[in-house]
Amino acid sequence: MPGMVAIAASWGFSVLLYGLLRWFGLTVVAAHLAALALVAPFVLVVMRQRILKVDKEQKISLLVILRFALVFVFAASLQGVLLSHLQQLSFLTSFIAFTPAALFGVLILYFISAVWVFPLPGGNASSKEIVLSVCIAAMVALRLMYLGLPELMEQEAYYWNYAQHLDLSYLDHPPMVALLIWLGTNLCGINEFGVRIGAFLCWFVTAFFCYRLTIKVFDRQAALGTVLLLTVLPLYFGVGFLMTPDAPLHAAWAALLFYGYRVLVEGDTASWAGFGISLGLGLLSKYTIVLLGPAFFLYMLIDRRARGWFLKPGPYAALALAGALFSPVILWNMQHQWASFLFQSAKRISSDPVISTPHLLGHITLILTPAGLLGVVLFFLFGRRLFQSAETVNIPAIRNKARRTFLLLFLASFLPFILFFTISFSREVKLNWTSPLWLAALPFLGCTVTSVYGRFCSICLMVIHELWRFTIPVLIMALAIGLHYVTLGLPGAAHPPGPFLIGWDKLAVEVETLADEIEKDSGARPIVVGMDHYQITSGLAFYRTKNARDQSSPSRSVTIGQSVGWHLFGHNSRMYRLWFDPRDWQPVGVIAVASKKSRLEKGSFGTEVVFDSEIMELPAVKDGQEVRRFYYRLVSAATFK
């Protein structure tokens, strides 16, 4: 690291530039980015002088410039997110809030440059592990600092409503996502951070078990490579950022793979308990985890040593334990005509036929990137020989274990993939459905990140290794820019209309003000009905409640029951039809909110409707910019009498 004088000079220069740029009229976002950009050349010169003291031949190559540019983007993103957090403190001015943020940005710029851009000569395996560890820690810090800033996605808001109606299960999913959100919001408050903290922690469970599995199969460097992929591959990054059922599913899936390896390959009887708990918790998260069942069963049929477990109590005790954990979901389905099981099976099968095979292959490429996709193809075709060639000693027992390990990981990824591939010829396969099954291939992909492992097919492995050297920095840059964009925005770029509910906090304020005016005029507070399956109702329910909790006066309380699904007008609104029964409702006026004008026309209400207004505009606004336009219409209470 450079001396304190260089760091202090860079910091002071950045703060001074920010003040001048703000004085000249630049926005906060533009000024903070420009200030760090103008300081960056000075940092580059300082780091260059530092390395010349120990290596006179060191030159600034194109690779060094590109790496430094990546570090700058990453530092700017972290500087921006800290600035955004500090600006939420009402007693800090923009300039004062930027001062510690500038120091943070400068420190990140110097530190990562010292580790990765201008490392000291004499690097070895230990220094490579340090670089991997720094990259992992930096990406985890990026995710944590941004965790509570972007608005919720529609699905997250819907699952937050799960947590306001805790139950043994739900129509769409088992209850784990609701329980995690309930715990998070009770500990951290009704805000985006409280909703998402469960996903953030689940990612650590996923990373822990993937690391342990990889280090057993390969080595520490490969294990760090596996965890690095979990931090930078966009979908796995998102699984640890957004609170959906996929977060606990991936954690349980990784644990089940690890314990499956322990019992079936290593023969550890005690691990059957972990196997049963992982399977049970996975079933409480998402039913998809049952796809590992055929893989484990087939492995036990094929592998001679694993076949002996059929005659022992371990696997049956594990299944009983998993069944006991899953029993609340079974009980709920018994009470609701097997609604959840039918929703996830028969109703999906009965949907309109569609060929989604090209989309499936595109989804896999998005999940793994071209480098990962090439690695998976190599894993499927030549994995056994690759695993055996990686063993440095030609001992039959060791080579046999490598063969058995590959077989287990191959079945755990290939069989679920074949199922989704077959389904894709007649039904839709969504982006996130295949993401957990690639956890079984991650140990091998982690090897390709860190080294050309083994002697077989070394040219292919070298190509994949070089692809990762290009892909991983690009992914880090894309994630850093993307998070900054959806949170603070970018100079000259409009806020995106999705997938986050950008501007909905102010949209909820507008709806609440309208409800206050109607209550003042009529004496009865209206309910708000989102005119779609669940998206509008869920978003307004969350942000109306969040805004009410932020109010100092307890008299301005907003109950969850004031945001209702459009089943009130005869449409499907998922779980809202169970949470709000019109038969138990004392009719009041309705504020119907829609994303399209057509959904507020008379034909969308399915009843003899009486309107109290025409269709009115209701824009979602952030930083003075209209992000998305909604519409509302007032429906008279007389409609329901």
Side-chain angles (χ1 to χ4, degrees):
M1 284 286 287
M4 295 299 296
V5 174
I7 293 175
S10 303
W11 177 30
F13 188 35
S14 180
V15 173
L16 177 62
L17 285 170
Y18 178 82
L20 289 173
L21 292 170
R22 289 288 288 153
W23 185 74
F24 280 115
L26 269 68
T27 64
V28 170
V29 173
H32 103 79
L33 292 174
L36 189 62
L38 292 171
V39 168
F42 175 74
V43 176
L44 182 63
V45 171
V46 170
M47 298 305 300
R48 164 74 172 154
Q49 294 301 316
R50 168 182 173 269
I51 202 69
L52 284 177
K53 293 179 180 179
V54 293
D55 185 2
K56 301 292 185 182
E57 303 299 323
Q58 180 74 20
K59 297 181 180 180
I60 297 184
S61 63
L62 177 61
L63 178 61
V64 169
I65 297 297
L66 291 176
R67 284 187 171 187
F68 186 78
L70 170 61
V71 175
F72 162 75
V73 169
F74 189 82
S77 186
L78 285 179
Q79 175 179 278
V81 68
L82 181 58
L83 175 60
S84 182
H85 281 295
L86 293 173
Q87 283 187 307
Q88 294 179 4
L89 303 175
S90 58
F91 57 86
L92 292 182
T93 65
S94 170
F95 182 80
I96 295 176
F98 178 75
T99 302
L103 176 60
F104 186 56
V106 166
L107 288 174
I108 293 294
L109 196 56
Y110 273 116
F111 176 71
I112 300 183
S113 294
V115 173
W116 186 54
V117 182
F118 295 99
L120 294 174
N124 50 30
S126 177
S127 63
K128 180 180 285 189
E129 291 181 6
I130 291 173
V131 171
L132 290 169
S133 300
V134 168
C135 287
I136 292 168
M139 291 304 293
V140 170
L142 182 77
R143 188 166 66 246
L144 176 62
M145 294 186 69
Y146 273 101
L147 195 65
L149 289 182
E151 292 86 344
L152 296 185
M153 293 180 68
E154 293 169 342
Q155 295 92 332
E156 291 180 289
Y158 181 46
Y159 300 138
W160 173 81
N161 279 271
Y162 275 20
Q164 312 314 304
H165 304 85
L166 285 178
D167 209 336
L168 299 178
S169 188
Y170 303 90
L171 173 67
D172 317 67
H173 294 290
M176 183 62 75
V177 65
L179 181 59
L180 291 174
I181 292 174
W182 183 86
L183 290 171
T185 51
N186 274 275
L187 291 173
C188 304
I190 298 179
N191 51 54
E192 289 84 353
F193 186 88
V195 171
R196 291 177 177 144
I197 185 62
F200 182 76
L201 296 177
C202 283
W203 182 89
F204 282 94
V205 178
T206 307
F208 172 76
F209 283 108
C210 286
Y211 178 88
R212 291 193 63 187
L213 178 61
T214 307
I215 207 169
K216 280 184 169 293
V217 177
F218 295 108
D219 59 15
R220 176 180 166 82
Q221 271 196 27
L224 289 173
T226 298
V227 177
L228 179 61
L229 290 180
L230 284 172
T231 64
V232 300
L233 290 175
L235 197 137
Y236 295 120
F237 182 95
V239 165
F241 188 86
L242 305 172
M243 189 65 252
T244 69
D246 290 311
L249 170 68
H250 281 69
W253 195 293
L256 189 58
L257 280 174
F258 173 76
Y259 287 115
Y261 171 85
R262 290 282 288 146
V263 297
L264 298 179
V265 177
E266 295 188 339
D268 181 50
T269 304
S271 291
W272 279 116
F275 187 97
I277 293 172
S278 302
L279 178 57
L281 294 178
L283 289 169
L284 289 175
S285 303
K286 204 171 181 180
Y287 304 138
T288 316
I289 202 167
V290 300
L291 297 181
L292 280 178
F296 289 133
F297 181 76
L298 185 58
Y299 181 86
M300 292 172 68
L301 289 176
I302 295 173
D303 187 79
R304 181 179 57 82
R305 291 180 59 184
R307 207 176 301 143
W309 286 113
F310 283 117
L311 302 177
K312 297 179 181 179
Y316 307 104
L319 291 176
L321 179 57
L325 290 171
F326 187 57
S327 59
V329 178
I330 299 174
L331 178 60
W332 185 92
N333 274 275
M334 290 174 61
Q335 296 170 344
H336 295 84
Q337 295 77 49
W338 309 102
S340 182
F341 294 155
L342 291 173
F343 179 83
Q344 296 293 351
S345 56
K347 290 186 178 180
R348 292 198 184 276
I349 294 174
S350 63
S351 60
D352 295 334
V354 58
I355 298 177
S356 62
T357 308
H359 291 165
L360 171 63
L361 299 178
H363 292 164
I364 295 171
T365 306
L366 284 175
I367 293 170
L368 298 174
T369 72
L373 180 61
L374 182 60
V376 165
V377 171
L378 197 66
F379 172 71
F380 283 165
L381 295 179
F382 307 111
R384 176 177 174 178
R385 297 176 67 179
L386 286 165
F387 274 50
Q388 290 183 332
S389 72
E391 298 298 339
T392 57
V393 292
N394 191 20
I395 299 176
I398 295 178
R399 294 178 67 84
N400 183 54
K401 184 178 180 181
R403 177 191 62 79
R404 297 175 67 232
T405 298
F406 164 73
L407 178 61
L408 178 65
L409 298 180
F410 171 80
L411 292 174
S413 54
F414 187 73
L415 289 185
F417 165 70
I418 287 298
L419 174 64
F420 285 124
F421 186 72
T422 305
I423 291 173
S424 70
F425 286 103
S426 60
R427 295 292 182 272
E428 180 188 13
V429 177
K430 295 184 178 179
L431 171 64
N432 60 317
W433 287 5
T434 66
S435 62
L437 65 91
W438 305 120
L439 294 178
L442 275 187
F444 173 72
L445 295 181
C447 278
T448 65
V449 169
T450 57
S451 62
V452 179
Y453 208 88
R455 299 176 300 279
F456 177 75
C457 204
S458 58
I459 295 178
C460 294
L461 292 173
M462 189 177 300
V463 169
I464 298 172
H465 179 63
E466 292 302 316
L467 278 175
W468 283 127
R469 293 184 64 186
F470 167 78
T471 301
I472 290 174
V474 170
L475 291 176
I476 293 174
M477 181 178 291
L479 289 168
I481 294 174
L483 286 172
H484 193 286
Y485 176 43
V486 300
T487 302
L488 291 88
L490 292 173
H495 288 293
F500 298 97
L501 300 175
I502 296 177
W504 278 57
D505 51 351
K506 294 184 179 179
L507 182 73
V509 170
E510 293 296 320
V511 171
E512 204 60 40
T513 301
L514 181 61
D516 289 343
E517 293 174 355
I518 295 173
E519 182 180 21
K520 182 178 179 181
D521 294 338
S522 66
R525 190 167 189 81
I527 61 172
V528 178
V529 174
M531 299 297 286
D532 55 15
H533 290 300
Y534 64 86
Q535 293 89 340
I536 293 175
T537 302
S538 300
L540 288 177
F542 176 79
Y543 282 104
R544 292 177 74 195
T545 305
K546 178 189 174 185
N547 291 341
R549 295 296 176 92
D550 290 340
Q551 300 291 330
S552 59
S553 172
S555 61
R556 280 185 54 84
S557 62
V558 176
T559 64
I560 305 302
Q562 289 180 2
S563 300
V564 178
W566 69 342
H567 66 284
L568 190 65
F569 301 111
H571 300 284
N572 176 25
S573 59
R574 302 284 179 94
M575 283 300 300
Y576 284 101
R577 64 182 177 83
L578 298 179
W579 296 334
F580 182 87
D581 190 345
R583 295 172 298 182
D584 301 330
W585 174 53
Q586 182 65 36
V588 294
V590 169
I591 304 174
V593 181
S595 58
K596 301 176 182 178
K597 282 186 176 182
S598 59
R599 291 189 173 179
L600 295 176
E601 300 290 349
K602 188 172 183 179
S604 297
F605 291 87
T607 184
E608 292 298 323
V609 62
V610 179
F611 294 118
D612 282 342
S613 78
E614 297 299 319
I615 299 174
M616 309 292 287
E617 293 183 352
L618 187 67
V621 178
K622 182 172 183 178
D623 298 331
Q625 172 208 328
E626 181 178 317
V627 180
R628 189 178 174 189
R629 184 170 298 180
F630 292 88
Y631 305 90
Y632 75 90
R633 197 169 192 178
L634 305 183
V635 179
S636 173
T639 300
F640 310 100
K641 294 181 179 179

